[in-house]
């Protein structure tokens, strides 16, 4: 049995000037997950660590660096699933949380539910002692630029984000 | 969207996916990521998947669980991933990408968009790529 961890940083349009950051970000996150596996850690620990690193990396659409909604705010979604128990935890439309993936894991570990959403997810975070962060800390110049650019009436946000077919 | 799948030395698989969602989405819009079977799925008896792409399309085909169905029918991780991505593109015109593993440690990183940043680590080798067809390796 060979331990393995595989990471993605999102499919879609990645401008050339951002491609190096994207590639180095996923490589670094993969190394972090693999180190956990090499030390005998669980696959759940490995994937949560890898995704946490990418949420903290402003080059990716998750955590810090998330795209903005139509109001210029950040609402995030996350899920974890454990292949041994089929246990799963998720959060949706959660705000002001630096690492939604860690909150999703708490939903799996600490509640009998599969998903908590919006204000309920934020209340759960407070009850678990997960600190809330200011909205500004999750927004980057790049995400704000893309938000403004796609407010135009003739904009196509899906095509802007997904790019052309491969 | 970002995600990861892993197999540990006990043969347990897991997945994790996190996202800010779609550019300029309506307030309250929730995509595929938190929906079990869509943004991710993990079962020690089959494998694990983390998905990325146009969430409304991914939900219509339940992409993560669809890949594992193909694997249950005997397809390899790569063929199962490609079959499901091709179905999503032909059936609902959606683009996306996936990372997939099986309990034996076979893995794939596949996408129907032009780009997806990905990386994999196994047997002290780091694999990575960005554009369609790229597969670079280096020692960890």
């Amino acid at each position: 049995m060979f331990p393995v961890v595989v990471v993605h940083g999102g499919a879609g349009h990645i401008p050339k000037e951002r491609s190096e950051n994207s590639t180095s970000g996923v490589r670094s996150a993969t190394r972090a997950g693999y180190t956990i596996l090499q030390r005998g850690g669980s696959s759940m620990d490995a994937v949560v660590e890898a995704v946490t690193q990418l949420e903290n990396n402003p080059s990716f659409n998750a955590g810090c660096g998330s795209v903005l909604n139509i109001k210029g705010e950040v609402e995030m979604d996350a899920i974890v699933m454990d292949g041994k128990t089929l246990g799963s935890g998720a959060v949706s439309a959660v705000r002001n949380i630096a690492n939604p993936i860690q909150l999703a894991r708490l939903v799996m570990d600490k509640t009998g539910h599969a998903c908590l959403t919006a204000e309920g997810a934020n209340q759960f975070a407070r009850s678990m002692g997960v600190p809330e962060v200011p909205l500004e800390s999750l927004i980057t110049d790049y995400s704000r630029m893309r938000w403004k650019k796609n407010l135009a009436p003739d904009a196509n946000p899906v095509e802007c984000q997904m790019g052309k077919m491969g | 969207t970002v995600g990861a799948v892993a197999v540990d030395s006990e043969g347990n698989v897991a997945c994790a996916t996190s996202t800010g969602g779609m550019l300029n989405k309506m307030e309250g819009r929730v995509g595929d990521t938190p929906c079990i079977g869509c943004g991710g799925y993990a079962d020690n008896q089959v494998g694990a998947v983390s998905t990325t792409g146009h969430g409304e399309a991914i939900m219509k085909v339940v992409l993560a669980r669809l890949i594992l169905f193909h694997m249950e029918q005997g397809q390899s991780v790569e063929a199962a991933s490609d079959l499901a991505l091709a179905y999503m593109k032909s059936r609902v015109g959606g683009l996306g990408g996936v990372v997939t593993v099986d309990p034996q440690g076979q893995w794939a990183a596949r996408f129907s968009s032009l780009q997806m940043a990905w990386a994999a680590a196994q047997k002290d080798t780091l694999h990575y790529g960005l554009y369609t067809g790229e597969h670079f390796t280096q020692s960890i």
Side-chain angles (χ1 to χ4, degrees), chain A residues 1-14 16 19 22-23 26-27 30-31 34 37-38 41-44 47 50-51 54-55 60-62 66-71 73 75-84 86 88 90-92 95 101 146-147 150-151 157-158 160-166, chain B residues 1-9 11-28 30-31 33-36 39 41-44 50-54 89 93 95-97 99 101 103-105 107-108 112-124 126 128 130-131 138 140:
Chain A
M1 172 59 56
F2 288 112
V4 61
V5 57
V6 194
V7 172
H8 70 76
H13 175 58
I14 302 170
K16 193 164 286 297
S19 56
S22 289
T23 304
V26 291
R27 286 160 59 188
T30 300
R31 283 195 183 91
Y34 191 62
L37 294 179
Q38 284 181 305
S42 70
S43 50
M44 180 57 69
V47 294
V51 170
L54 296 175
E55 288 174 333
F60 296 96
N61 172 23
S66 289
V67 297
L68 309 187
N69 69 14
I70 194 68
K71 291 177 67 177
E73 297 166 348
E75 294 174 293
M76 299 166 283
D77 307 329
I79 190 170
V80 295
M81 186 163 187
D82 178 337
K84 186 174 182 180
L86 300 195
S88 176
V91 289
S92 54
R95 296 166 179 251
I101 201 69
R146 291 177 93 194
W147 169 65
N150 282 278
L151 288 175
V158 173
C160 176
Q161 185 164 355
M162 288 311 303
K164 301 277 190 287
M165 285 197 180
Chain B
T1 305
V2 300
V5 291
V7 190
D8 62 30
S9 49
N12 295 316
V13 302
C15 72
T17 311
S18 179
T19 188
M22 291 300 290
L23 207 47
N24 290 45
K25 63 189 178 184
M26 291 175 70
E27 190 173 13
V30 173
T33 296
C35 302
I36 195 167
Y41 200 85
D43 182 346
N44 277 8
S50 171
T51 69
T52 169
H54 186 204
K89 187 151 87 170
L95 298 179
V99 289
V101 289
Q104 288 71 46
W107 60 271
S112 54
S113 52
L114 281 173
Q115 297 165 291
M116 179 175 83
W118 64 271
Q122 188 174 48
K123 292 185 248 179
D124 294 335
L126 186 69
Y128 62 95
L130 177 64
Y131 288 91
Q138 67 178 153
I140 280 192

Side-chain angles (χ1 to χ4, degrees), chain B residues 43-93:
Chain B
D43 182 346
N44 277 8
Q45 294 181 17
V46 193
V49 181
S50 171
T51 69
T52 169
H54 186 204
E56 278 70 9
I58 289 172
M59 286 188 276
K60 287 176 180 173
V61 302
V62 194
L63 184 60
R65 190 65 182 86
L66 176 59
I67 290 168
L68 296 179
F69 275 130
H70 283 307
M71 288 164 62
E72 285 175 307
Q73 311 309 314
Q75 297 288 346
S76 67
V77 285
E78 183 166 310
S81 302
D82 286 345
L83 279 167
L85 285 166
Y87 179 71
M88 182 168 80
K89 187 151 87 170
S90 64
R91 190 75 177 81
V92 295

Side-chain angles (χ1 to χ4, degrees), chain A residues 56-125:
Chain A
N56 294 337
N57 185 327
S59 299
F60 296 96
N61 172 23
C64 174
S66 289
V67 297
L68 309 187
N69 69 14
I70 194 68
K71 291 177 67 177
E73 297 166 348
V74 172
E75 294 174 293
M76 299 166 283
D77 307 329
I79 190 170
V80 295
M81 186 163 187
D82 178 337
K84 186 174 182 180
T85 63
L86 300 195
S88 176
V91 289
S92 54
V94 70
R95 296 166 179 251
N96 305 97
I97 296 290
N99 296 114
I101 201 69
Q102 296 183 12
L103 192 57
R105 187 174 187 177
L106 285 170
V107 171
M108 176 175 73
D109 292 340
K110 306 290 186 184
T111 79
H113 299 312
C115 181
L116 292 176
T117 195
E119 181 50 30
N122 280 96
Q123 278 177 28
F124 174 67

